[in-house]
Amino acid sequence: MAQLKNFIGGKKKASKSGRLLKDTNPADTRQVLASFPDSDARDVDAAVRAAAAAYESWHLVPPPKRGDILFRAGLLFEKEKKSLARLMTREMGKVLKEAEGDVQEAVDMAFYMAGEGRRLFGKTTTSELKNKFVMSVRQPLGVCGLITPWNFPVAIPSWKSFPALLCGNTVVLKPAEDTPATAIRFAEILTEAGLPDGVLNVVLGGPETGAALVRHPDVRLISFTGSSETGRKIAAECGRTLKRCSLELGGKNAQIVMDDADVDLALEGALWGAFGTAGQRCTATSRIYVQKKVYESFKRKMVAGARRMRLGDGMDPRVQVGPLVNADQLERVTDYVKLGEREGAKIECGGGPAKGPGLSHGYFFQPTVFTGVKPSMRIMKEEIFGPVVCIMPVSDLEDALKQINDTAYGLSSSIYTRDVNAAMKAIRDIEAGITYINGPTIGAEVHMPFGGVKDTGNGHREAGEHGLDIFSEWKSVYIDYSGKLQKAQIDTEPS
C-alpha cells in the first residue's frame, strides 16, 4: 500500500500530526489504494508559508510566461489522460469515459488559460481632464486557498488553480479526502510542466485541514466547491476577516419536457443527466417536469431506461453507473429514498442499494425514479446527490417554469422543445446560472462562465474570462502629464 504525503514547497512531506487516513476503492472496499495524512494547522501553515515565499518571485513572472507553463501542463494532462482517469476511477468510482472527460476539462482549461496569458486585459479610457491618461490593470492577490470536491478531482482543481496561477497568485490546494492520490498527481504534472516550487502546494486531510486553511490569516482568498451548508460556514468565517470568498455550492436541477419535444432525445438527456456519475454532480438532473400529453410515455421510457442501466466497477467499459463515493454517501441516498416513500411518493424502479455479482463489496445504489411527487416534498426540495430523480406532470410552459423555479437552488436547467418562443421564454424566466435548450442539465465548456444563483453560490463564476475576476484585483491608474495640480471634478471645465 502506497503512503501519500503532502506536497509543500515542491517536496513531499509527512504531516506534523502523524495521523493517517485510508484511500479506498468505492467499487471494492477491500482494495485500499493508499494511506495519506490527516493534516493539521501546522501543515497548513507550512504550505501557506511556502506559497507566500514563492509569491515574491512568481507574481513578477510575465503573464505570457505563466501561460506557457499552463500550456505545457495541458500537453502533459493530455498525454496522461488514460492513466490519470484510471487512478480517478479507482479512487472515486466514476466510469472511465467520464473520468477521461474530467481530465479533458483540465486540458481544455490549461490551453484556454494559457491563451489568457496574452489577454490579461485591463481597460484604457478617456479622462475628464486635459493632459491626463487613465487605465485599469489586473493585479494578483497573494496566497489563494482552494478547497475542492471528489466528484471532479481534476477538472475542478484546474478551474480554480489555472486562473489563480495565471493572475500571479500562489496556491494551497486542499482536495477531498476521497481523492488524495489524484490531487498529488495533479500537482506533480504542474511541477513537471515547469511550475516553480511552492507556487502550488497540496495539503491532504479532512475537515480540520480545510478549516485551518480558511482561518489562516495569510490566505487572501478561499475558493470552495461543495455543499451549501459548508459554504455558509466558510462565508461566515471569511466575512469575519473580510477575506475574499468564492462559493460554488449545491443544485436541485430540473429538466422540462414539452409536448412538442423529441421525447427520445429528452429521455437520453434525462438518463445521462440523472444517472451519470451516479447522480453525484452539482449539475445532476434531479427533477423532471413533463407536459401531460407526453407524461405517461416519457415516464414509461424513463423507468425502462433506468432499469437497463448497467452498474459496476467503473474500470469495466461496459458499466454505465459506478458506485457512490463512500459509506456516508450511500447512507445519505438510502435515507432520502426512505424519506420519499414516507412522504407518499411512488418508487417506479430502484429504491435501494444494489446487490449482485461484482456489487457486494462496493457502495452501489440502484438508479431510482420517483413519481407521485408533490412540490412540497423534501425529495423535491433538497439535494440528494445520488442516482435519484423525480418526475412530475405539468399543464403548460407557465406551470413548468413556476415549478422549476420553486427551489432554493439555481445552478443548471434544461428544456426540450421545438418551439423557439417557448425556448426563449425559458432562457429569460428560469432562475439559474445555466440553461440548456434540447440538452441535459450537466456539462460545461471552459470558455463559458460556470455558477448559479440563490443558494447555489455567492455570485462569482468559474471558467471563462469571468473566472479571472475573483483571482485578481482591479487597480485604477492615473497618469497626469499636465505639469500642474489638477483637482479632478473641481477643475473640470464648465459645460
Side-chain angles (χ1 to χ4, degrees):
M1 181 177 65
Q3 183 171 329
L4 303 174
K5 295 182 178 181
N6 292 326
F7 190 80
I8 298 174
K11 297 179 176 60
K12 294 181 180 179
K13 297 184 178 181
S15 170
K16 302 286 187 183
S17 74
R19 300 189 303 263
L20 293 176
L21 301 172
K22 290 182 179 180
D23 183 15
T24 304
N25 184 346
D28 187 344
T29 57
R30 296 171 298 180
Q31 298 179 17
V32 179
L33 307 177
S35 64
F36 63 97
D38 186 12
S39 303
D40 62 18
R42 293 171 293 175
D43 304 297
V44 170
D45 183 62
V48 173
R49 283 189 284 108
Y55 176 78
E56 295 303 317
S57 57
W58 176 247
H59 84 281
L60 299 177
V61 175
K65 298 300 182 184
R66 299 179 207 144
D68 289 346
I69 294 173
L70 294 180
F71 185 82
R72 290 196 294 272
L75 294 174
L76 290 174
F77 278 110
E78 193 169 48
K79 180 180 178 182
E80 295 205 19
K81 183 191 293 188
K82 291 188 180 299
S83 63
L84 198 50
R86 286 194 294 270
L87 174 60
M88 186 189 310
T89 294
R90 294 185 69 204
E91 278 204 299
M92 57 75 62
K94 71 168 71 176
V95 301
L96 274 173
K97 282 292 184 184
E98 291 186 58
E100 290 179 11
D102 193 313
V103 180
Q104 185 61 46
E105 285 200 45
V107 174
D108 295 343
M109 183 61 81
F111 291 161
Y112 177 82
M113 284 298 163
E116 288 300 295
R118 295 184 180 274
R119 287 170 38 88
L120 206 59
F121 296 147
K123 290 185 177 181
T124 60
T125 185
T126 56
S127 171
E128 63 189 34
L129 296 174
K130 294 178 179 178
N131 300 316
K132 188 177 181 182
F133 176 81
V134 296
M135 63 180 178
S136 60
V137 295
R138 291 186 187 270
Q139 293 198 303
L141 305 172
V143 179
C144 297
L146 313 181
I147 303 175
T148 58
W150 44 263
N151 57 342
F152 287 90
V154 172
I156 292 180
S158 77
W159 295 355
K160 296 180 185 297
S161 64
F162 293 175
L165 296 172
L166 185 78
C167 288
N169 304 291
T170 53
V171 165
V172 177
L173 169 64
K174 190 278 174 192
E177 300 96 300
D178 299 284
T179 51
T182 303
I184 294 298
R185 187 67 195 125
F186 180 88
E188 289 173 344
I189 289 173
L190 282 164
T191 300
E192 291 164 18
L195 196 69
D197 292 347
V199 173
L200 185 140
N201 307 272
V202 181
V203 183
L204 305 174
E208 180 184 340
T209 316
L213 184 60
V214 172
R215 290 194 302 264
H216 200 290
D218 295 331
V219 173
R220 302 293 299 276
L221 170 146
I222 292 293
S223 179
F224 169 78
T225 296
S227 72
S228 297
E229 179 183 5
T230 302
R232 287 188 180 92
K233 295 176 182 177
I234 290 173
E237 179 63 29
C238 289
R240 190 179 62 82
T241 58
L242 299 180
K243 184 177 298 185
R244 277 201 183 195
C245 178
S246 171
L247 304 174
E248 202 286 288
L249 307 175
K252 192 66 178 173
N253 313 288
Q255 173 179 312
I256 297 170
V257 183
M258 301 300 293
D259 282 349
D260 66 336
D262 181 333
V263 173
D264 289 336
L265 179 64
L267 173 71
E268 189 177 12
L271 289 169
W272 172 238
F275 305 129
T277 322
Q280 299 172 115
R281 290 172 164 168
C282 56
T283 54
T285 307
S286 58
R287 299 175 292 148
I288 304 176
Y289 299 105
V290 186
Q291 203 167 357
K292 290 179 179 178
K293 183 179 177 181
V294 294
Y295 174 78
E296 289 297 332
S297 171
F298 181 88
K299 178 185 74 172
R300 184 173 62 253
K301 291 181 177 182
M302 184 72 185
V303 171
R307 286 176 173 155
R308 287 194 300 269
M309 303 292 283
R310 184 188 290 269
L311 276 69
D313 190 330
M315 299 293 284
D316 184 341
R318 299 170 299 173
V319 165
Q320 297 166 290
V321 181
L324 298 176
V325 72
N326 55 39
D328 288 345
Q329 195 64 21
L330 181 64
E331 182 180 6
R332 173 190 173 91
V333 176
T334 302
D335 288 347
Y336 264 111
V337 170
K338 290 178 179 178
L339 171 64
E341 285 189 285
R342 293 196 302 271
E343 288 181 313
K346 180 183 178 182
I347 296 176
E348 296 284 351
C349 64
K355 304 298 182 183
L359 305 178
S360 58
H361 296 286
Y363 304 119
F364 296 96
F365 198 92
Q366 303 171 72
T368 300
V369 177
F370 273 111
T371 59
V373 293
K374 297 178 181 179
S376 59
M377 290 180 176
R378 285 179 60 189
I379 59 169
M380 290 285 280
K381 294 287 190 183
E382 298 174 16
E383 186 176 39
I384 298 173
F385 224 63
V388 180
V389 66
C390 301
I391 308 178
M392 177 178 164
V394 290
S395 56
D396 52 25
L397 178 62
E398 286 66 31
D399 187 17
L401 293 174
K402 176 183 176 182
Q403 298 300 335
I404 203 172
N405 289 334
D406 184 21
T407 175
Y409 299 101
L411 180 53
S412 190
S413 59
S414 164
I415 182 170
Y416 282 80
T417 180
R418 291 186 173 96
D419 184 345
V420 65
N421 294 335
M424 294 304 295
K425 288 179 181 177
I427 292 169
R428 182 191 66 192
D429 295 340
I430 291 176
E431 297 169 355
I434 302 167
T435 297
Y436 285 88
I437 310 300
N438 296 325
T441 61
I442 54 85
E445 299 186 26
V446 300
H447 56 287
M448 294 289 286
F450 181 90
V453 302
K454 299 191 278 191
D455 285 3
T456 290
N458 62 341
H460 297 291
R461 292 295 183 266
E462 296 185 319
E465 63 179 310
H466 308 279
L468 300 168
D469 290 339
I470 188 65
F471 294 110
S472 58
E473 295 276 16
W474 281 110
K475 174 178 279 191
S476 296
V477 179
Y478 300 90
I479 303 171
D480 191 322
Y481 55 96
S482 66
K484 62 179 181 180
L485 173 64
Q486 298 193 90
K487 299 176 182 176
Q489 289 81 7
I490 295 175
D491 284 350
T492 53
E493 297 180 0
S495 56

